[in-house]
Structures are given as structure tokens and as C-alpha cells.
Amino acid sequence: MTTPHRILIIGASLGGLSTAEALRREGYDGTVTLVGAEPHLPYDRPPLSKQVLAGTWDPDRAQLPAAAQLDGLDIELLMKQEAVGLRPAERVVQLRDGERLRYDTLVIATGLRPRWLPGSRQLDGVHVVRTLDDALALRQTLRQGPRLVVVGGGFIGMEVAATARSLGVEVTVVDPHAHPLAGRLGGVVGDAVLGLHRDHGVRFRLGQRVSGLAADGNRSVVGVLLADGSVIDADAVVLGLGSIPTTQWLKGSGVPVGDGVLCDQYCAAAPGIYAVGDIANWLDVHSGRRRRVEHRTNASEQAVAVARNILADHDKQTAYTPTPYLWSDQFDCRIQCYGWADEGQEVHVVEGDPAGRKFIALHRDHGRVMAVVGMNSARGMRSHLGALGSTADPVGPSRAQVVNPASTRGQTAD
Amino acid sequence: MRVITEEDKCCGSGLCVIAAPELFDQRDSDGVVVVLDETPGADRHDAVRKAVAACPAAAIRLARQ
């Protein structure tokens, strides 16, 4: 292909900014324009539920390093601008204020928007944590010492619960599963995290679905209604219900959209159109499956892959086949996962003890090691990464504690 | 060039060690980054840049002396 003259990147968070930076690092000297909806320079999201929420960092510390180098990198950033339409035939993106931006190559990096309960957006005291402004608003609320209910025991929910509890806030977590972080990481980590939070005084209503929120006459939230008819009193509620890819602006454009933007193995969704980060749903040629990854590391790694594929000749493009990495900090615990952890995998503890909250486990699918998961074992994790993808048993049955994930499920704690 | 790391940003992924094992290590206790050579020679600048790009927490940067 001929090198594009003008590359337009919609979305100015980590994925978009890293793509722009990688294009320059790869020697691209054409025009790079980043369009971001937010009023802030690009920032990192992992600190939002931790250091920024706790108030131990000024928001400036969360700013991405490359955000301070935009001039030097000759990257144009349009802030507080939102794309509302795309016309691939004309190679034009329409912005909300009416401006039309032309491109030769387009990168879609519009990420996710958090899921709300029906009617909950209009209520005072109900929060999500996706943007810097979300985190600062919640921080303000937590300073008033509310009774906080966290709906959803995923990563965001549990990190917010830990931060709020560390600030002395009374916290209750509601989740439909038997333990937090259900699904991907399975019951071994989930049970350890449950114990960790309980030891710090977080309360749980597990195996419970939320049927709605209760509000007073001033439209302030006063409680969380559960499907069993009970009510948890609340002065503030955080919704950790997952997120939805921001694809509505692509409607009618012909760009294939499903769970995110549907891309091939090179992260291309259509000729001259790529997707990167949380929104990209690409074909993983190693597994033959479609993948969409909502973790920070994927956004920066995929950005480099997309930048290289944009600049490569068509027959020299490289399929994107990452080894994902995620981490989560809660209280004094650090959880890490390399690889593709998923429900139903066999969990073999190979070092330490989950009860002591210091362990490393291999997750296997039909014998093949798919993920290395650890708690408070950061330095030891690296020596197990070589096992990823192998079917060998590096430890032998006598040392490995085999845990059937099914046996750790099904109990409801309160 | 000087390698600067911020310990309170480090997430202990070890990805810098994988990218540049001659320049980085991790603390035993919590896996936080340890810089083995703060002022690497020019032949190692590419390796440092790889580690900077690999860091999931933006905890490493390169500064001009």
C-alpha cells in the first residue's frame, strides 16, 4: 500500500494516543490527528479507582507521559470533540459540532461507556468510574463518609470497595455470583479476594441480583433493592456493571460492529480502517476465536501492532497475537494474570497458598496452560511464563494442588 | 540518557525485565522495578525504549541527563 498522508485517530485515551506515538516512533511523518471527547489531556485509567480516588495522587500524576510530548511528536489533539458519523466512501468523519475531518487511514479507539441501571443516571449519589471526572466526583462523595453500596464485584467494583473502605467508608458489595471476580479468574482468586475484603470490614450480599434503586423526593439515592425483596440502605452507590463498546457513531457506516468493532487478524475492520483498545474485537489466529480485551496493557500493545500494520505493505502485515497481562491492587494485595484465564479452566496452585493470599496458579484448558495467575507473588510469576501454551506438567501431581473450579462455586455467602 | 522509574506507579509486571533483562530487575518482596544501570550506553537505548513501551503502568521514562 502507499503510505497514508493523513491518519485520523478517533479516541484520545491510551489506545489512540499510543497509536499516534507508535506511528511517529516507526518513522511516519505525515499528519496525525487525535480526536478526544474529554476536556483533559490523555490520562491513564488504572489509577482512577485507586490513587486518584483515594486522593493520594493529584489528577496530574495520572496523565500519560506522551500527553506532554504532543507538540514534540507533531500530533494534533482536538479535545472536547466527539465523532457522530463516518462515511467511508468519502473518507470523512463527522464531528458533533458539524466539522468534517478527512482521512486516508482511520483508527477507531473510542473505547467503552459504562453500563447504568435503568433510570439511575438521573439520581444523585449514583456513580460509575470510567473517566477522571467520574473518579473526582466519587472522591468528593466518599469524603462525606457515606454508606456505600458497590453493585458488581468485578475489578472496578472491588478496587473501589477497597479504596473506599481504606478511607473508612462503610462498604457493601452486591454481586450475583458466589464470590467476587467471578468468571475469568475463577473461584480460587475469588475466594481469596472475598476473604481479603471481609478481613478489612467490607460486607457482601452475594448470589443476589439488584432489581433497582430507591430514591427520595429529591431524587437522591437512598437504597439498593435486591431481587429477594430486601433493601440495603445507601447514601451512595457505585455501579460496576461492565461497559459497552462506544460504536453508536459507526451506525450506518458499513463498518462491521458486534461486540465492539469486528476486525480481522491485523486489527483492520475495513479497507483503511483499524480499531484499537477496548473496542477492538479481532480474530486471534492462535485460538481461532474472536477476542476483545478491556485491559490497559492490551490498548498500548495493540496500538503498536496497528501502527506497524498501517505502515506495512499489505503482504507484510502481522497478525496480532498478544499474551494479555492484567493486574489489580486491592488493599495490600496485588493480583496479576498473564495469558487467557477463563471460566471452566482447571486451576493448579504451583507456589504458595491461596488461604495465605500469596500464591501462583496455572490455569489449564484440556491440559494446556492458558494463564499464570498470582497473588502477592510478582517476582515469582516470571519464572512460570515459559509454561504458557505448553501441555507439560512442570510440577508433578504431588506438588500441584488441583482445584476443580466447579467445587468452589455454588455457595452463597452473606 | 538517564532511566527514571516511579516506584509508586510500578505494577510489578516484570515486562521491563523481559524486554531488557540487563537493565531491570524486580524486588523480591513486592516485584517493584529495580534499575540495574541508570545511565546505560547508547547501544542500550533501544532496549530501554522497549521497556518503556512495555511498561503497563507508565512507570519508566528516559530523561536527558
Side-chain angles (χ1 to χ4, degrees):
Chain A
M1 79 178 251
T2 49
T3 305
H5 294 295
R6 184 179 173 92
I7 300 176
L8 177 61
I9 303 169
I10 304 295
S13 191
L14 180 70
L17 178 64
S18 300
T19 306
E21 194 187 3
L23 284 165
R24 289 294 185 235
R25 209 166 44 235
E26 296 289 321
Y28 177 67
D29 61 2
T31 303
V32 179
T33 303
L34 264 173
V35 177
E38 294 202 40
H40 306 286
L41 283 171
Y43 55 85
D44 220 0
R45 294 191 199 278
L48 298 185
S49 52
K50 300 180 280 273
Q51 296 95 332
V52 172
L53 184 59
T56 50
W57 284 14
D58 284 334
D60 290 354
R61 281 213 74 195
Q63 190 177 299
L64 288 164
Q69 300 161 16
L70 291 171
D71 286 347
L73 292 168
D74 192 21
I75 295 166
E76 181 186 23
L77 171 62
L78 306 179
M79 301 206 305
K80 293 193 271 185
Q81 292 279 8
E82 205 180 336
V84 293
L86 167 64
R87 292 188 187 163
E90 299 161 50
R91 303 207 161 216
V92 161
V93 169
Q94 176 94 41
L95 301 185
R96 187 172 297 287
D97 70 357
E99 196 178 346
R100 292 155 55 91
L101 299 178
R102 301 192 69 84
Y103 64 84
D104 297 313
T105 298
L106 175 69
V107 179
I108 297 168
T110 41
L112 309 172
R113 57 197 167 88
R115 196 173 274 130
W116 292 75
L117 289 170
S120 59
R121 281 189 99 126
Q122 291 75 37
L123 301 183
D124 282 342
V126 183
H127 297 260
V128 294
V129 182
R130 176 71 188 169
T131 66
L132 178 57
D133 289 342
D134 289 341
L136 295 176
L138 178 58
R139 182 167 109 184
Q140 205 58 38
T141 296
L142 294 183
R143 281 184 176 155
Q144 293 154 23
R147 291 166 301 173
L148 177 70
V149 176
V150 176
V151 180
F155 284 111
I156 295 282
M158 296 317 291
E159 289 186 358
V160 167
T163 303
R165 188 71 202 117
S166 299
L167 295 171
V169 170
E170 193 181 299
V171 182
T172 305
V173 176
V174 187
D175 192 274
H177 302 91
H179 49 72
L181 306 182
R184 292 288 170 79
L185 292 188
V188 176
V189 171
D191 285 339
V193 167
L194 178 60
L196 168 71
H197 281 254
R198 281 196 167 140
D199 285 356
H200 283 85
V202 175
R203 289 200 283 255
F204 285 86
R205 297 293 295 272
L206 296 171
Q208 292 281 356
R209 290 191 182 278
V210 169
S211 58
L213 302 179
D216 65 12
N218 298 321
R219 303 194 67 75
S220 291
V221 72
V222 294
V224 173
L225 312 173
L226 303 184
D228 69 358
S230 59
V231 181
I232 312 171
D233 292 335
D235 307 304
V237 172
V238 172
L239 302 177
L241 297 169
S243 299
I244 304 159
T246 311
T247 54
Q248 69 275 17
W249 64 283
L250 299 168
K251 204 175 169 190
S253 69
V255 169
V257 166
D259 174 30
V261 173
L262 304 180
C263 303
D264 64 14
Q265 63 267 43
Y266 309 112
C267 307
I273 300 178
Y274 295 79
V276 72
D278 295 342
I279 199 170
N281 179 324
W282 82 97
L283 181 66
D284 173 39
V285 292
H286 276 177
S287 63
R289 288 172 58 177
R290 290 204 149 272
R291 303 277 196 191
R292 190 172 70 74
V293 175
E294 295 185 356
H295 299 300
R296 195 265 183 218
T297 320
N298 182 64
S300 51
E301 204 177 333
Q302 196 168 24
V304 174
V306 164
R308 287 183 179 155
N309 281 342
I310 288 172
L311 300 178
D313 289 331
H314 199 67
D315 59 345
K316 298 217 171 81
Q317 291 195 324
T318 308
Y320 182 55
T321 54
T323 298
Y325 167 73
L326 70 87
W327 83 100
S328 177
D329 295 336
Q330 299 169 30
F331 297 109
D332 53 352
C333 262
R334 171 160 290 161
I335 300 152
Q336 294 172 295
C337 173
Y338 302 80
W340 301 101
D342 212 340
E343 275 186 291
Q345 293 171 344
E346 270 192 357
V347 179
H348 302 240
V349 176
V350 292
E351 273 188 36
D353 178 10
R357 293 177 204 140
K358 185 175 170 64
F359 71 98
I360 297 171
L362 302 185
H363 284 223
R364 290 173 182 267
D365 185 4
H366 295 95
R368 185 176 299 277
V369 178
M370 299 304 293
V372 181
V373 176
M375 191 179 248
N376 288 333
S377 301
R379 197 175 192 282
M381 298 277 287
R382 251 188 303 127
S383 63
H384 293 281
L385 299 186
L388 282 171
S390 82
T391 51
D393 183 356
V395 286
S398 58
R399 275 190 59 206
Q401 176 195 347
V402 179
V403 182
N404 179 349
S407 69
T408 64
R409 299 246 169 88
Q411 290 170 251
T412 298
D414 58 19
Chain B
M1 293 272 213
R2 176 175 291 276
V3 181
I4 296 172
T5 57
E6 292 174 85
E7 286 191 4
D8 67 338
K9 286 191 175 183
C10 176
C11 71
S13 71
L15 296 178
C16 57
V17 188
I18 292 168
E22 68 281 16
L23 296 171
F24 298 98
D25 198 357
Q26 289 175 274
R27 268 200 314 244
D28 270 331
S29 56
D30 55 8
V32 164
V33 62
V34 176
V35 182
L36 302 177
D37 182 356
E38 281 185 11
T39 52
D43 57 325
R44 287 176 163 182
H45 288 179
D46 266 358
V48 182
R49 287 195 184 93
K50 274 188 190 142
V52 170
C55 177
I60 311 170
R61 60 198 161 90
L62 261 178
R64 287 178 221 286
Q65 253 350 1

mmCIF file of all heavy atoms in Angstrom, chain B residues 27-64:
data_model
loop_
_atom_site.group_PDB
_atom_site.id
_atom_site.type_symbol
_atom_site.label_atom_id
_atom_site.label_comp_id
_atom_site.label_asym_id
_atom_site.label_seq_id
_atom_site.Cartn_x
_atom_site.Cartn_y
_atom_site.Cartn_z
ATOM 1 N N ARG B 27 12.249 -6.261 42.757
ATOM 2 C CA ARG B 27 12.483 -6.518 44.177
ATOM 3 C C ARG B 27 11.853 -7.847 44.568
ATOM 4 O O ARG B 27 10.766 -8.165 44.090
ATOM 5 C CB ARG B 27 11.818 -5.414 45.016
ATOM 6 C CG ARG B 27 12.717 -4.268 45.331
ATOM 7 C CD ARG B 27 12.277 -3.436 46.514
ATOM 8 N NE ARG B 27 10.895 -3.047 46.590
ATOM 9 C CZ ARG B 27 10.456 -1.773 46.547
ATOM 10 N NH1 ARG B 27 11.310 -0.785 46.392
ATOM 11 N NH2 ARG B 27 9.187 -1.503 46.685
ATOM 12 N N ASP B 28 12.529 -8.585 45.441
ATOM 13 C CA ASP B 28 11.990 -9.867 45.890
ATOM 14 C C ASP B 28 10.648 -9.703 46.584
ATOM 15 O O ASP B 28 9.719 -10.453 46.351
ATOM 16 C CB ASP B 28 12.968 -10.528 46.874
ATOM 17 C CG ASP B 28 13.965 -11.413 46.147
ATOM 18 O OD1 ASP B 28 13.598 -11.943 45.074
ATOM 19 O OD2 ASP B 28 15.096 -11.555 46.631
ATOM 20 N N SER B 29 10.545 -8.712 47.450
ATOM 21 C CA SER B 29 9.388 -8.622 48.337
ATOM 22 C C SER B 29 8.091 -8.332 47.595
ATOM 23 O O SER B 29 7.074 -8.962 47.838
ATOM 24 C CB SER B 29 9.629 -7.541 49.388
ATOM 25 O OG SER B 29 9.925 -6.306 48.748
ATOM 26 N N ASP B 30 8.108 -7.362 46.670
ATOM 27 C CA ASP B 30 6.847 -6.958 46.051
ATOM 28 C C ASP B 30 6.929 -6.847 44.524
ATOM 29 O O ASP B 30 5.957 -6.415 43.887
ATOM 30 C CB ASP B 30 6.382 -5.616 46.638
ATOM 31 C CG ASP B 30 7.452 -4.543 46.517
ATOM 32 O OD1 ASP B 30 8.476 -4.791 45.847
ATOM 33 O OD2 ASP B 30 7.266 -3.453 47.085
ATOM 34 N N GLY B 31 8.058 -7.230 43.952
ATOM 35 C CA GLY B 31 8.161 -7.232 42.491
ATOM 36 C C GLY B 31 8.342 -5.867 41.869
ATOM 37 O O GLY B 31 8.336 -5.726 40.640
ATOM 38 N N VAL B 32 8.524 -4.831 42.694
ATOM 39 C CA VAL B 32 8.694 -3.483 42.155
ATOM 40 C C VAL B 32 10.040 -3.363 41.432
ATOM 41 O O VAL B 32 11.031 -3.993 41.817
ATOM 42 C CB VAL B 32 8.559 -2.436 43.289
ATOM 43 C CG1 VAL B 32 9.116 -1.076 42.866
ATOM 44 C CG2 VAL B 32 7.093 -2.293 43.692
ATOM 45 N N VAL B 33 10.041 -2.543 40.382
ATOM 46 C CA VAL B 33 11.190 -2.432 39.486
ATOM 47 C C VAL B 33 12.468 -1.986 40.223
ATOM 48 O O VAL B 33 12.435 -1.141 41.118
ATOM 49 C CB VAL B 33 10.861 -1.457 38.331
ATOM 50 C CG1 VAL B 33 10.566 -0.053 38.852
ATOM 51 C CG2 VAL B 33 11.965 -1.414 37.295
ATOM 52 N N VAL B 34 13.584 -2.595 39.809
ATOM 53 C CA VAL B 34 14.920 -2.180 40.250
ATOM 54 C C VAL B 34 15.715 -1.878 38.982
ATOM 55 O O VAL B 34 15.752 -2.704 38.069
ATOM 56 C CB VAL B 34 15.615 -3.307 41.038
ATOM 57 C CG1 VAL B 34 17.044 -2.901 41.392
ATOM 58 C CG2 VAL B 34 14.829 -3.650 42.289
ATOM 59 N N VAL B 35 16.313 -0.686 38.920
ATOM 60 C CA VAL B 35 17.116 -0.328 37.750
ATOM 61 C C VAL B 35 18.548 -0.783 37.996
ATOM 62 O O VAL B 35 19.156 -0.423 38.999
ATOM 63 C CB VAL B 35 17.071 1.189 37.503
ATOM 64 C CG1 VAL B 35 17.862 1.549 36.244
ATOM 65 C CG2 VAL B 35 15.630 1.657 37.348
ATOM 66 N N LEU B 36 19.074 -1.585 37.082
ATOM 67 C CA LEU B 36 20.431 -2.114 37.255
ATOM 68 C C LEU B 36 21.477 -1.152 36.705
ATOM 69 O O LEU B 36 22.614 -1.160 37.129
ATOM 70 C CB LEU B 36 20.557 -3.473 36.560
ATOM 71 C CG LEU B 36 19.575 -4.546 37.039
ATOM 72 C CD1 LEU B 36 19.740 -5.821 36.223
ATOM 73 C CD2 LEU B 36 19.772 -4.841 38.524
ATOM 74 N N ASP B 37 21.060 -0.318 35.731
ATOM 75 C CA ASP B 37 22.003 0.622 35.123
ATOM 76 C C ASP B 37 21.240 1.908 34.792
ATOM 77 O O ASP B 37 20.478 1.952 33.840
ATOM 78 C CB ASP B 37 22.602 -0.006 33.852
ATOM 79 C CG ASP B 37 23.639 0.908 33.207
ATOM 80 O OD1 ASP B 37 23.839 2.041 33.699
ATOM 81 O OD2 ASP B 37 24.247 0.492 32.203
ATOM 82 N N GLU B 38 21.417 2.929 35.611
ATOM 83 C CA GLU B 38 20.628 4.159 35.444
ATOM 84 C C GLU B 38 21.072 4.988 34.251
ATOM 85 O O GLU B 38 20.306 5.816 33.754
ATOM 86 C CB GLU B 38 20.700 5.010 36.715
ATOM 87 C CG GLU B 38 19.791 4.506 37.804
ATOM 88 C CD GLU B 38 19.768 5.426 39.014
ATOM 89 O OE1 GLU B 38 20.296 6.550 38.941
ATOM 90 O OE2 GLU B 38 19.226 4.995 40.046
ATOM 91 N N THR B 39 22.324 4.829 33.844
ATOM 92 C CA THR B 39 22.822 5.615 32.709
ATOM 93 C C THR B 39 23.403 4.678 31.655
ATOM 94 O O THR B 39 24.619 4.624 31.462
ATOM 95 C CB THR B 39 23.886 6.631 33.171
ATOM 96 O OG1 THR B 39 24.883 5.918 33.922
ATOM 97 C CG2 THR B 39 23.291 7.713 34.038
ATOM 98 N N PRO B 40 22.518 3.937 30.982
ATOM 99 C CA PRO B 40 23.008 2.951 30.021
ATOM 100 C C PRO B 40 23.650 3.620 28.812
ATOM 101 O O PRO B 40 23.290 4.754 28.447
ATOM 102 C CB PRO B 40 21.739 2.197 29.613
ATOM 103 C CG PRO B 40 20.620 3.149 29.890
ATOM 104 C CD PRO B 40 21.056 3.996 31.038
ATOM 105 N N GLY B 41 24.589 2.907 28.193
ATOM 106 C CA GLY B 41 25.247 3.416 26.998
ATOM 107 C C GLY B 41 24.293 3.444 25.819
ATOM 108 O O GLY B 41 23.198 2.861 25.865
ATOM 109 N N ALA B 42 24.718 4.150 24.763
ATOM 110 C CA ALA B 42 23.861 4.358 23.596
ATOM 111 C C ALA B 42 23.404 3.039 22.987
ATOM 112 O O ALA B 42 22.296 2.929 22.458
ATOM 113 C CB ALA B 42 24.605 5.186 22.549
ATOM 114 N N ASP B 43 24.245 1.996 23.098
ATOM 115 C CA ASP B 43 23.879 0.710 22.497
ATOM 116 C C ASP B 43 22.702 0.058 23.217
ATOM 117 O O ASP B 43 22.133 -0.908 22.729
ATOM 118 C CB ASP B 43 25.098 -0.238 22.504
ATOM 119 C CG ASP B 43 25.647 -0.451 23.916
ATOM 120 O OD1 ASP B 43 25.609 0.506 24.725
ATOM 121 O OD2 ASP B 43 26.100 -1.577 24.206
ATOM 122 N N ARG B 44 22.340 0.598 24.385
ATOM 123 C CA ARG B 44 21.226 0.007 25.137
ATOM 124 C C ARG B 44 19.972 0.883 25.126
ATOM 125 O O ARG B 44 18.968 0.532 25.746
ATOM 126 C CB ARG B 44 21.652 -0.256 26.575
ATOM 127 C CG ARG B 44 22.608 -1.438 26.664
ATOM 128 C CD ARG B 44 23.105 -1.638 28.054
ATOM 129 N NE ARG B 44 23.679 -2.968 28.204
ATOM 130 C CZ ARG B 44 24.157 -3.438 29.349
ATOM 131 N NH1 ARG B 44 24.108 -2.713 30.431
ATOM 132 N NH2 ARG B 44 24.665 -4.651 29.405
ATOM 133 N N HIS B 45 20.015 2.016 24.445
ATOM 134 C CA HIS B 45 18.859 2.917 24.466
ATOM 135 C C HIS B 45 17.625 2.279 23.834
ATOM 136 O O HIS B 45 16.504 2.495 24.289
ATOM 137 C CB HIS B 45 19.199 4.247 23.788
ATOM 138 C CG HIS B 45 20.115 5.096 24.623
ATOM 139 N ND1 HIS B 45 20.578 6.317 24.216
ATOM 140 C CD2 HIS B 45 20.654 4.883 25.853
ATOM 141 C CE1 HIS B 45 21.365 6.832 25.159
ATOM 142 N NE2 HIS B 45 21.425 5.977 26.157
ATOM 143 N N ASP B 46 17.835 1.491 22.775
ATOM 144 C CA ASP B 46 16.686 0.822 22.157
ATOM 145 C C ASP B 46 16.012 -0.134 23.136
ATOM 146 O O ASP B 46 14.790 -0.215 23.198
ATOM 147 C CB ASP B 46 17.133 0.047 20.908
ATOM 148 C CG ASP B 46 16.951 0.891 19.656
ATOM 149 O OD1 ASP B 46 16.441 2.030 19.788
ATOM 150 O OD2 ASP B 46 17.321 0.410 18.568
ATOM 151 N N ALA B 47 16.849 -0.856 23.891
ATOM 152 C CA ALA B 47 16.309 -1.799 24.875
ATOM 153 C C ALA B 47 15.501 -1.053 25.938
ATOM 154 O O ALA B 47 14.431 -1.498 26.356
ATOM 155 C CB ALA B 47 17.440 -2.590 25.517
ATOM 156 N N VAL B 48 16.009 0.126 26.369
ATOM 157 C CA VAL B 48 15.266 0.904 27.369
ATOM 158 C C VAL B 48 13.934 1.357 26.773
ATOM 159 O O VAL B 48 12.892 1.281 27.425
ATOM 160 C CB VAL B 48 16.063 2.142 27.833
ATOM 161 C CG1 VAL B 48 15.266 2.889 28.901
ATOM 162 C CG2 VAL B 48 17.404 1.739 28.383
ATOM 163 N N ARG B 49 13.961 1.815 25.523
ATOM 164 C CA ARG B 49 12.716 2.284 24.897
ATOM 165 C C ARG B 49 11.693 1.159 24.807
ATOM 166 O O ARG B 49 10.503 1.370 24.985
ATOM 167 C CB ARG B 49 13.009 2.861 23.517
ATOM 168 C CG ARG B 49 13.693 4.213 23.602
ATOM 169 C CD ARG B 49 13.669 4.992 22.289
ATOM 170 N NE ARG B 49 14.434 6.222 22.460
ATOM 171 C CZ ARG B 49 15.740 6.330 22.159
ATOM 172 N NH1 ARG B 49 16.386 5.309 21.642
ATOM 173 N NH2 ARG B 49 16.380 7.471 22.368
ATOM 174 N N LYS B 50 12.174 -0.055 24.545
ATOM 175 C CA LYS B 50 11.267 -1.212 24.520
ATOM 176 C C LYS B 50 10.643 -1.412 25.897
ATOM 177 O O LYS B 50 9.447 -1.695 26.021
ATOM 178 C CB LYS B 50 12.020 -2.479 24.101
ATOM 179 C CG LYS B 50 12.075 -2.643 22.600
ATOM 180 C CD LYS B 50 12.653 -4.000 22.209
ATOM 181 C CE LYS B 50 12.906 -4.011 20.710
ATOM 182 N NZ LYS B 50 14.139 -4.718 20.354
ATOM 183 N N ALA B 51 11.448 -1.274 26.934
ATOM 184 C CA ALA B 51 10.933 -1.454 28.295
ATOM 185 C C ALA B 51 9.933 -0.348 28.638
ATOM 186 O O ALA B 51 8.897 -0.609 29.255
ATOM 187 C CB ALA B 51 12.086 -1.460 29.294
ATOM 188 N N VAL B 52 10.238 0.880 28.216
ATOM 189 C CA VAL B 52 9.317 1.997 28.460
ATOM 190 C C VAL B 52 7.974 1.697 27.803
ATOM 191 O O VAL B 52 6.906 1.860 28.408
ATOM 192 C CB VAL B 52 9.893 3.322 27.913
ATOM 193 C CG1 VAL B 52 8.844 4.428 27.948
ATOM 194 C CG2 VAL B 52 11.119 3.739 28.716
ATOM 195 N N ALA B 53 8.019 1.215 26.553
ATOM 196 C CA ALA B 53 6.782 0.932 25.823
ATOM 197 C C ALA B 53 6.045 -0.252 26.433
ATOM 198 O O ALA B 53 4.819 -0.301 26.426
ATOM 199 C CB ALA B 53 7.090 0.666 24.358
ATOM 200 N N ALA B 54 6.798 -1.219 26.975
ATOM 201 C CA ALA B 54 6.163 -2.433 27.509
ATOM 202 C C ALA B 54 5.528 -2.191 28.871
ATOM 203 O O ALA B 54 4.603 -2.903 29.260
ATOM 204 C CB ALA B 54 7.195 -3.547 27.627
ATOM 205 N N CYS B 55 5.993 -1.191 29.610
ATOM 206 C CA CYS B 55 5.511 -1.000 30.983
ATOM 207 C C CYS B 55 4.012 -0.704 30.993
ATOM 208 O O CYS B 55 3.565 0.268 30.410
ATOM 209 C CB CYS B 55 6.254 0.137 31.675
ATOM 210 S SG CYS B 55 5.598 0.433 33.338
ATOM 211 N N PRO B 56 3.219 -1.534 31.683
ATOM 212 C CA PRO B 56 1.771 -1.329 31.693
ATOM 213 C C PRO B 56 1.340 -0.158 32.577
ATOM 214 O O PRO B 56 0.180 0.219 32.567
ATOM 215 C CB PRO B 56 1.224 -2.635 32.270
ATOM 216 C CG PRO B 56 2.376 -3.548 32.445
ATOM 217 C CD PRO B 56 3.613 -2.709 32.451
ATOM 218 N N ALA B 57 2.251 0.397 33.333
ATOM 219 C CA ALA B 57 1.854 1.419 34.297
ATOM 220 C C ALA B 57 2.545 2.756 34.036
ATOM 221 O O ALA B 57 2.463 3.656 34.861
ATOM 222 C CB ALA B 57 2.183 0.941 35.712
ATOM 223 N N ALA B 58 3.192 2.886 32.887
ATOM 224 C CA ALA B 58 3.891 4.130 32.533
ATOM 225 C C ALA B 58 4.823 4.577 33.649
ATOM 226 O O ALA B 58 4.911 5.751 33.994
ATOM 227 C CB ALA B 58 2.886 5.239 32.189
ATOM 228 N N ALA B 59 5.525 3.599 34.246
ATOM 229 C CA ALA B 59 6.363 3.892 35.410
ATOM 230 C C ALA B 59 7.830 4.131 35.055
ATOM 231 O O ALA B 59 8.634 4.430 35.920
ATOM 232 C CB ALA B 59 6.263 2.741 36.423
ATOM 233 N N ILE B 60 8.175 3.966 33.775
ATOM 234 C CA ILE B 60 9.573 4.137 33.361
ATOM 235 C C ILE B 60 9.645 5.238 32.312
ATOM 236 O O ILE B 60 8.810 5.299 31.409
ATOM 237 C CB ILE B 60 10.129 2.846 32.714
ATOM 238 C CG1 ILE B 60 9.836 1.625 33.587
ATOM 239 C CG2 ILE B 60 11.632 2.968 32.453
ATOM 240 C CD1 ILE B 60 10.140 0.301 32.890
ATOM 241 N N ARG B 61 10.630 6.106 32.449
ATOM 242 C CA ARG B 61 10.863 7.049 31.357
ATOM 243 C C ARG B 61 12.353 7.305 31.211
ATOM 244 O O ARG B 61 13.158 6.983 32.079
ATOM 245 C CB ARG B 61 10.080 8.350 31.537
ATOM 246 C CG ARG B 61 10.393 9.126 32.765
ATOM 247 C CD ARG B 61 9.268 10.135 33.055
ATOM 248 N NE ARG B 61 9.343 10.551 34.424
ATOM 249 C CZ ARG B 61 10.061 11.595 34.853
ATOM 250 N NH1 ARG B 61 10.740 12.320 33.995
ATOM 251 N NH2 ARG B 61 10.106 11.892 36.130
ATOM 252 N N LEU B 62 12.669 7.882 30.076
ATOM 253 C CA LEU B 62 14.058 8.219 29.762
ATOM 254 C C LEU B 62 14.176 9.731 29.830
ATOM 255 O O LEU B 62 13.363 10.446 29.260
ATOM 256 C CB LEU B 62 14.365 7.784 28.335
ATOM 257 C CG LEU B 62 15.092 6.455 28.129
ATOM 258 C CD1 LEU B 62 15.238 6.195 26.650
ATOM 259 C CD2 LEU B 62 16.462 6.485 28.789
ATOM 260 N N ALA B 63 15.195 10.232 30.521
ATOM 261 C CA ALA B 63 15.404 11.681 30.557
ATOM 262 C C ALA B 63 16.790 11.984 30.022
ATOM 263 O O ALA B 63 17.710 11.174 30.186
ATOM 264 C CB ALA B 63 15.253 12.195 31.978
ATOM 265 N N ARG B 64 16.893 13.135 29.387
ATOM 266 C CA ARG B 64 18.240 13.580 29.002
ATOM 267 C C ARG B 64 18.926 14.000 30.274
ATOM 268 O O ARG B 64 18.462 14.918 30.934
ATOM 269 C CB ARG B 64 18.146 14.794 28.075
ATOM 270 C CG ARG B 64 17.678 14.447 26.710
ATOM 271 C CD ARG B 64 17.571 15.713 25.879
ATOM 272 N NE ARG B 64 16.379 15.701 25.045
ATOM 273 C CZ ARG B 64 16.254 14.962 23.950
ATOM 274 N NH1 ARG B 64 17.233 14.201 23.554
ATOM 275 N NH2 ARG B 64 15.137 14.974 23.237
#
